[in-house]
Each structure stands twice: as C-alpha cells, then as structure tokens.
Amino acid sequence: MADSALPTAPVPQLAQSVRDRSGVRRRLRYYGEKLGGSLISLFAVILTSFFLFRIIPGDPVRTMTHGRPVSIEQQEQLRRDFGLDKPLVEQFWSYLTGVLRLDFGDSFQFNRPVTDLIGDRIWPTVLLVGTSVVISAALGLWLGVRGAWNHGSVGDRVNTGVALTLWSVPSFWLGLILIVIFASELGWFPTSGMESTGVEGWERIPDIAHHMVLPLVTLVAVVYAQYLMIMRSSLLDEMGSDYIVTARAKGLRDVIVRRRHAVPNALLPTVTLIFVNLGFVVFGAVLVETIFTWPGLGQLFYSGLSVPDLPLVQGLFILFSAAVILMNLLADLLYPVLDPRVRP
C-alpha cells in the first residue's frame, strides 16, 4: 500500500528534458567550433600578412625616391622614419600590437593613417562591388532556375554556353574590350574615374551611375555564371527527389512545385556562395578598379603593392581576409537555420 502511494516519475517529460539539454550542448559545441575556427584563421592571416609582403622584392625607400635628388643619408632617415631599420622581431611586435589596437600605422606613400585611407576608399568599392553582387545573384538565380526547369532546351544550352564563356574570360581583358568599344570608339561612357569634375548636388547620382556602367557590366558578366551553374545543378538534383514526384502526382501545377518546393531547397548552396561573395565586397575587384581607375580599395591595394607600401597592403589584406572569414562564419551559423537536415 505504501509503494502504491508513491508518485510516479514523469518519464516522458524527463526524457524530453534530457534530449533538449543534449541538443543545446550540441548546438553550443557547433557554434563554438565554428567561432574558434574563424578566430584561428584570422590569427593565421595576421601572421601571414606580416611575412608575406616582406618577401615581395623591392625597397620602398628606393621606389619612392626614384628619380629624385635624394642623398644616402636622407634615404637612411626615411628608413628610420618608416621603422625599416629595426630588427624583424621588433617590427613584428610593433605590427602585432598595432593590429590588436586596429592601428595599421601610416602609409609610406600617402603619409596618412591606413585606417583613414580605408575609410575614404571603402564606399566606392561597396557601391560598385555590392551592386554587382546583387545583380549577379538575381540574374544568375533567375537564369539558373529557368535553365534547370527546362534543361536540354535551346535556351538552356545558349544561357549555359554564354555564362561559361564569360566566366572563363579574364576580367581585365573584358574590361579593356569594353573600354575600347563603348568608351573610346563609340564614346557612350567615360573611360575612367567615378564622377566628373564640377558636378554637385543631385546631379552626382546619374553622373556616378554613368561612370559605373562599364565596370559594373564587367563584374556582372564574369560573376553571374557562378550563381547560374550552382543554382542549375542544385535544382536538377532536387527535381529527381521523391517529394517533387509526390507533389506532381497530387496534381500541383509546375509553377507551384517549382516555387514552393524545389527552389527553396535548391537555394541552400547558392546562399553559401552569396555570403562568400559578400565577403569579397570590401576586397573589391583589384584589376577592374585599376583598369577603370575606380577610387576604391582594389585600386588602393594595387598602388600599395607597387611600392611596396607595407602598412597599407598589410592593413588591406587583413581587412579583406577578415571580411571573407566573417561572411563564411555567418553562412555556417545560418545554414542549420535554413536547412533543418544539418542542424547539430
């Protein structure tokens, strides 16, 4: 009688609680591993940045004083001012402590803090490359969906052939061809720069858009094929799945099957690619910005390599790499949310 009076343990609730705690631990472990891997990658980038650009042949002082009446004593004074006369270990320690304070030092050739130069040049790059990523993703996804849903058709073969051809073309070569045809010969667009002199107020918006056409077309033409091919391949894989066959067997129209079932599942690999390319937004397009004299981070990086301007290229390299690492981390964290099948 005494035993029958004892309350029974809520076994199902207890088991559910154990499973919930186990799931929380797995998720925390997953997020911790991804965050730890990103921090390790960033630290490796910081180490690599210091030694990588010191392997580049060239003397910054000699490059900057080339063709100028500068004595040997003045060159040595410049080396002392730049800190190039110090031992390598001391230079590395000064560089490392500066990076931890987000202080990349002063540029050799511009004689300004690297952070100020980045602040001046980052918005033209975000405008150009960010716009190209949005247009490339929208165009590539649209053509990829249409190509996969009508695979084997004439339109699919033409779109795939054109995309692969443009993808294989070097961006600098395509940019030069566009300059020769549409700028030099036809005179439809400017050959260089971001805006015309003397343009102020609201008139700057159409002027900047006019200058941006050729570099934007160059970037979109080279990049959109990535989205098209990945979306097309993913959707072709999904079209053979059982749930697609079941949806069609229920009598759903092709438009409904494509929009509500096939495309959302096929988008997952493309979402990862979009995040990766967003990381390259701040990196810009070094060759495209240089060819079109677009005043962004890519052109700034190219001018820094020509010296070499060590503080400038080191700071930009860390910025570019950190953006890519951050976007990869966000993609890893969001992927389980978008796809329950890979949830930890």
Side-chain angles (χ1 to χ4, degrees):
M1 295 292 293
D3 293 339
S4 62
L6 293 175
T8 58
V11 177
Q13 296 180 6
L14 181 61
Q16 181 64 35
S17 177
V18 171
R19 285 195 297 268
D20 292 342
R21 287 197 294 268
S22 178
V24 170
R25 285 195 295 268
R26 286 197 302 270
R27 286 191 291 272
L28 291 177
R29 188 184 306 114
Y30 173 81
Y31 295 142
E33 290 175 354
K34 295 300 180 182
L35 180 59
S38 299
L39 292 176
I40 293 174
S41 299
L42 183 59
F43 183 70
V45 165
I46 293 174
L47 294 180
T48 304
S49 176
F50 177 81
F51 296 102
L52 176 64
F53 296 109
R54 279 164 175 75
I55 302 176
I56 299 176
D59 185 352
V61 174
R62 289 185 179 180
T63 302
M64 294 175 61
T65 58
H66 180 70
R68 300 179 181 179
V70 179
S71 64
I72 297 179
E73 291 77 11
Q74 290 174 319
Q75 291 184 1
E76 292 299 326
Q77 181 60 43
L78 282 176
R79 287 191 176 87
R80 286 192 293 270
D81 294 340
F82 294 157
L84 298 176
D85 61 323
K86 299 178 181 178
L88 191 63
V89 175
E90 188 175 346
Q91 292 184 42
F92 176 73
W93 179 250
S94 177
Y95 156 81
L96 185 60
T97 55
V99 170
L100 295 178
R101 300 192 309 268
L102 297 180
D103 179 13
F104 302 112
D106 293 341
S107 167
F108 291 166
Q109 56 182 326
F110 297 103
N111 197 27
R112 291 181 57 196
V114 173
T115 51
D116 291 350
L117 293 172
I118 292 175
D120 293 342
R121 298 292 190 98
I122 192 171
W123 297 116
T125 291
V126 170
L127 175 64
L128 175 62
V129 186
T131 305
S132 72
V133 169
V134 173
I135 295 177
S136 300
L139 180 63
L141 293 179
W142 182 68
L143 292 177
V145 170
R146 293 179 63 87
W149 209 254
N150 303 289
H151 64 282
S153 64
V154 176
D156 177 39
R157 292 197 295 269
V158 170
N159 286 332
T160 304
V162 172
L164 290 176
T165 301
L166 292 174
W167 196 3
S168 62
V169 171
S171 59
F172 70 89
W173 183 84
L174 181 60
L176 291 174
I177 294 298
L178 293 179
I179 289 176
V180 171
I181 296 176
F182 296 102
S184 299
E185 294 295 331
L186 299 177
W188 291 354
F189 302 102
T191 57
S192 61
M194 179 177 171
E195 55 185 316
S196 305
T197 56
V199 178
E200 299 179 355
W202 292 102
E203 295 180 356
R204 293 182 61 201
I205 296 178
D207 183 61
I208 293 175
H210 189 220
H211 282 75
M212 195 169 64
V213 170
L214 292 185
L216 183 61
V217 170
T218 303
L219 290 174
V220 170
V222 173
V223 173
Y224 89 96
Q226 301 178 31
Y227 299 100
L228 186 153
M229 298 306 298
I230 291 179
M231 187 63 198
R232 181 179 181 275
S233 176
S234 301
L235 189 55
L236 284 175
D237 292 340
E238 294 295 331
M239 287 172 61
S241 301
D242 293 338
Y243 71 91
I244 296 295
V245 177
T246 303
R248 284 175 166 169
K250 289 181 177 180
L252 295 179
R253 292 183 300 162
D254 266 6
V255 176
I256 302 299
V257 174
R258 182 174 68 241
R259 290 181 180 178
R260 294 185 181 179
H261 299 281
V263 172
N265 287 286
L267 272 174
L268 296 174
T270 312
V271 169
T272 303
L273 178 63
I274 291 174
F275 271 96
V276 172
N277 285 339
L278 284 176
F280 285 100
V281 166
V282 293
F283 175 68
V286 176
L287 295 177
V288 173
E289 288 190 0
T290 303
I291 291 171
F292 290 97
T293 322
W294 188 265
L297 295 179
Q299 187 192 37
L300 185 65
F301 187 72
Y302 178 81
S303 65
L305 283 176
S306 61
V307 174
D309 190 337
L310 296 179
L312 181 59
V313 294
Q314 287 171 175
L316 288 172
F317 184 76
I318 293 174
L319 176 66
F320 300 157
S321 303
V324 174
I325 292 172
L326 177 61
M327 288 302 160
N328 275 283
L329 175 62
L330 291 178
D332 288 336
L333 297 182
L334 287 177
Y335 206 79
V337 178
L338 300 175
D339 188 359
R341 295 171 296 181
V342 298
R343 287 179 182 175

